[in-house]
Amino acid sequence: MSHTREEKIEALGKVIDTLDRLRVECPWDRKQTNESLRPNTIEEVYELCDALLKDDNKNIKKELGDILLHVLFYSKIGDEKGEFDIADVAESLNAKLIFRHPHVFGSVNVADAHDVEQNWEQIKLKERDGNRTVLAGVPVSLPALVKAYRIQEKAANVGFDWDERRQVWDKLKEEIGEFEAEAENGTPESLEAEMGDVFFSLVNVARLYGINPENALEKTNAKFIKRFNYIESKALESGKKLKDMTLDEMDELWNEAKAIG
């Protein structure tokens, strides 16, 4: 269902009014701070990501609403401190969008999305007046897999990348070989370092082939959970516990689960 611009603005206004009232009249909402809301915000983002992976539009809408609430809540707290409000947030965002899209609002020409990404990195450096490095924009608190992907994206956008994506296979094989060699008599620390290199190279493979590694791994996690749950449920139906089953018995049920999907 599509709404008019006026209806969208009116709906946002209602939420702002509701939050204003809650901030005054609800004991829980009244006591919230940036620090207390932060863990909930992280949780809400992950819940949205779950819904997005499942292409669950009902829950995507719900989780977007929860995140919108947090955006408005932080803006409300900023307003109470006399620092900024939701209008400042929106104006800042709009100005940034226009500045970062000179191919739309200016005279810059781009051939494709890759050109746009490369321009973004140069524009971001200008925004920082050259005082921050290319990788400074990668949040420290990102999960390692996501962080590796963003690091590689940013490096690639300023030209630090393979000439041809097939070259990455040699690098991956090299890293796996180094791990295998270290596995013979390496220390826990050296093994960890080599495994980190393997993971980093795998992320590079995914990126160069247009695959988001976080999404790919999460889908495999979900697939494994579904199939393992099948094994467990079938074991219970036969009156057995998994620890009492042989590996061959579990493999047979695993293959049944794979055939189902």
Side-chain angles (χ1 to χ4, degrees), residues 28-42:
W28 186 90
D29 289 279
R30 193 165 55 238
K31 75 174 186 178
Q32 297 310 306
T33 64
N34 286 341
E35 184 178 356
S36 69
L37 285 172
R38 181 178 177 273
N40 293 335
T41 304
I42 294 171

Side-chain angles (χ1 to χ4, degrees), residues 6-255:
E6 290 72 21
E7 288 172 332
K8 294 173 184 175
I9 293 173
E10 181 182 359
L12 285 171
K14 288 178 181 178
V15 178
I16 293 171
D17 291 342
T18 299
L19 180 58
D20 285 346
R21 181 173 176 180
L22 289 174
R23 188 66 171 165
V24 174
E25 299 182 24
C26 173
W28 186 90
D29 289 279
R30 193 165 55 238
K31 75 174 186 178
Q32 297 310 306
T33 64
N34 286 341
E35 184 178 356
S36 69
L37 285 172
R38 181 178 177 273
N40 293 335
T41 304
I42 294 171
E43 183 178 338
E44 297 296 354
V45 171
Y46 276 111
E47 289 178 355
L48 172 62
C49 290
D50 286 343
L52 290 168
L53 279 176
K54 296 173 184 174
D55 199 23
D56 182 350
N57 285 311
K58 180 180 178 181
N59 275 314
I60 289 173
K61 181 178 73 172
K62 171 183 173 296
E63 300 304 339
L64 283 172
D66 291 341
I67 290 175
L68 175 60
L69 171 61
H70 282 244
V71 172
L72 294 174
F73 217 137
Y74 290 120
S75 300
K76 177 65 176 174
I77 293 171
D79 191 11
E80 292 167 355
K81 293 178 178 179
E83 298 291 337
F84 62 89
D85 62 14
I86 190 60
D88 295 311
V89 173
E91 287 291 347
S92 176
L93 171 60
N94 190 55
K96 181 167 68 175
L97 287 173
I98 292 172
F99 182 70
R100 289 188 179 179
H101 292 78
H103 53 286
V104 175
F105 300 100
S107 58
V108 173
N109 294 317
V110 294
D112 51 28
H114 179 65
D115 282 357
V116 174
E117 290 177 357
Q118 289 189 317
N119 282 343
W120 277 345
E121 296 304 330
Q122 299 302 321
I123 290 169
K124 287 176 187 177
L125 287 175
K126 289 179 183 177
E127 287 176 333
R128 303 167 193 150
D129 296 322
N131 293 326
R132 294 177 67 190
T133 65
V134 170
L135 301 182
V138 179
V140 174
S141 58
L142 277 180
L145 189 66
V146 179
K147 186 188 293 185
Y149 186 73
R150 290 295 292 128
I151 287 170
Q152 292 172 11
E153 270 192 328
K154 284 183 170 291
N157 284 337
V158 293
F160 191 75
D161 204 0
W162 301 98
D163 291 329
E164 297 181 31
R165 65 182 184 180
R166 60 182 175 80
Q167 294 173 312
V168 76
W169 291 110
D170 290 334
K171 182 61 176 175
L172 177 60
K173 292 171 185 175
E174 174 189 329
E175 297 296 353
I176 292 174
E178 290 179 3
F179 177 81
E180 288 179 333
E182 198 67 25
E184 295 299 320
N185 52 15
T187 65
E189 292 77 14
S190 65
L191 282 173
E192 180 182 63
E194 294 299 343
M195 181 56 74
D197 291 344
V198 172
F199 282 140
F200 197 81
S201 292
L202 275 172
V203 171
N204 231 339
V205 172
R207 178 183 63 83
L208 289 165
Y209 283 83
I211 299 166
N212 184 295
E214 175 70 19
N215 292 347
L217 183 57
E218 184 52 35
K219 288 176 180 177
T220 295
N221 288 341
K223 182 170 59 180
F224 183 91
I225 290 170
K226 180 181 178 182
R227 291 174 180 175
F228 194 83
N229 285 345
Y230 178 88
I231 294 174
E232 191 169 23
S233 65
K234 287 297 183 180
L236 290 173
E237 285 177 14
S238 64
K240 295 182 180 180
K241 294 182 179 179
L242 287 179
K243 63 183 182 65
D244 298 325
M245 297 180 69
T246 67
L247 183 56
D248 285 341
E249 288 174 322
M250 286 191 281
D251 277 342
E252 184 177 347
L253 291 175
W254 178 267
N255 289 330

